[in-house]
Amino acid sequence: KRTVNPKDERLKRLDRSKETAAPLMNRRKDSEGGGSRSVALKTSRDGSTHAIDSRESNASQRAAAATPTVPAHMFFLHNTALGPPYHVLLDTNFINFAVSNKLDIRKSLLDCLYAPAVACLTDCVLGELQKLGSKYRVALRVAKDRAFLRLPCSHKGTYADDCLVERVQQHRVFIVATNDKDLKRRLRKIPGVPIMYVHARKFTIERLPEAFMAPR
């Protein structure tokens, strides 16, 4: 009969490994038993029931609440609410770029969209142009054209970027005209909002289904 030598080094290493692992196992049991965890029954479509963890159900509810709602007129990435006459929100630097490139805004909108368009101007954009001083006096004179549709702002402050982003999130029936890279980056995160900008002395547009013929 085989006997085990109590002085064997392998037994000593085994005992040391058990002593090292014991606190870790106890800590894991405490963490599993310490938190409040309840199990509920969920009935599936076929009539069978299965248990679900309350933590999993709470996590799924939080994920559903965090998911942004998409308007009903969004068909995949295409905004079916957009159509002629298009309403174009003008940003401060877009007006200045149009003036610098000697572009008539109303005529260039028609050349770009091949459809009637209404240039819209918010109070924030006009306020920014007034604050920029004499350097932008020509752009301010263009912005005061009565042919532009004036959109009043009810919020405080005159920061046009936040105003335009908030407006298109609430009403996705606008095209935003801007050459601001930061504003473009924010607008690209909002589905269904086309972006117009000045490029090569022309107006061009992105994220509009009918824009495959737009000048580049």
Side-chain angles (χ1 to χ4, degrees):
K1 186 177 179 180
R2 186 176 179 180
T3 59
V4 179
N5 186 6
K7 297 182 179 180
D8 194 343
E9 290 295 330
R10 289 176 294 179
L11 292 178
K12 294 181 181 180
R13 287 197 296 268
L14 181 61
D15 292 338
R16 285 195 297 268
S17 63
K18 288 182 178 180
E19 292 175 358
T20 305
L24 298 177
M25 295 298 295
N26 293 333
R27 188 185 307 170
R28 183 177 178 183
K29 291 179 180 180
D30 293 341
S31 61
E32 291 178 355
S36 59
R37 186 175 184 179
S38 60
V39 176
L41 294 178
K42 181 179 180 181
T43 304
S44 59
R45 293 183 178 179
D46 58 358
S48 60
T49 59
H50 60 279
I52 58 172
D53 193 349
S54 61
R55 296 179 182 176
E56 296 177 359
S57 62
N58 293 336
S60 61
Q61 291 175 2
R62 288 194 297 269
T67 304
T69 57
V70 179
H73 53 71
M74 291 291 299
F75 182 74
F76 293 107
L77 293 179
H78 293 169
N79 190 348
T80 58
L82 287 172
Y86 294 101
H87 288 73
V88 184
L89 285 173
L90 305 180
D91 189 25
T92 308
N93 61 357
F94 182 85
I95 300 174
N96 187 51
F97 267 80
V99 171
S100 301
N101 289 274
K102 299 180 180 179
L103 296 173
D104 182 81
I105 292 180
R106 287 185 293 170
K107 182 179 180 300
S108 298
L109 288 177
L110 184 62
D111 294 340
C112 177
L113 297 171
Y114 299 106
V118 179
C120 304
L121 196 72
T122 63
D123 291 341
C124 290
V125 173
L126 192 61
E128 278 193 355
L129 286 172
Q130 291 172 349
K131 288 182 178 180
L132 290 174
S134 59
K135 184 179 179 180
Y136 292 82
R137 64 180 181 275
V138 180
L140 179 60
R141 187 165 62 249
V142 171
K144 289 183 178 181
D145 188 350
R146 293 185 177 181
F148 294 169
L149 178 63
R150 290 289 301 274
L151 299 178
C153 298
S154 57
H155 56 81
K156 297 180 180 179
T158 57
Y159 188 55
D161 290 6
D162 292 343
C163 174
L164 296 178
V165 170
E166 183 180 353
R167 192 176 291 271
V168 297
Q169 283 178 338
Q170 294 176 353
H171 311 286
R172 301 191 192 185
V173 294
F174 294 104
I175 298 172
V176 181
T178 181
N179 273 62
D180 190 333
K181 294 182 179 179
D182 294 333
L183 182 56
K184 283 183 182 179
R185 193 178 301 112
R186 294 174 63 181
L187 292 171
R188 289 189 183 108
K189 297 178 182 179
I190 308 173
V193 180
I195 303 171
M196 182 180 290
Y197 54 94
V198 180
H199 177 69
R201 295 184 178 275
K202 296 178 182 178
F203 289 1
T204 188
I205 193 168
E206 63 180 54
R207 298 176 66 184
L208 187 68
E210 297 85 2
F212 64 93
M213 290 291 290
R216 299 294 177 186

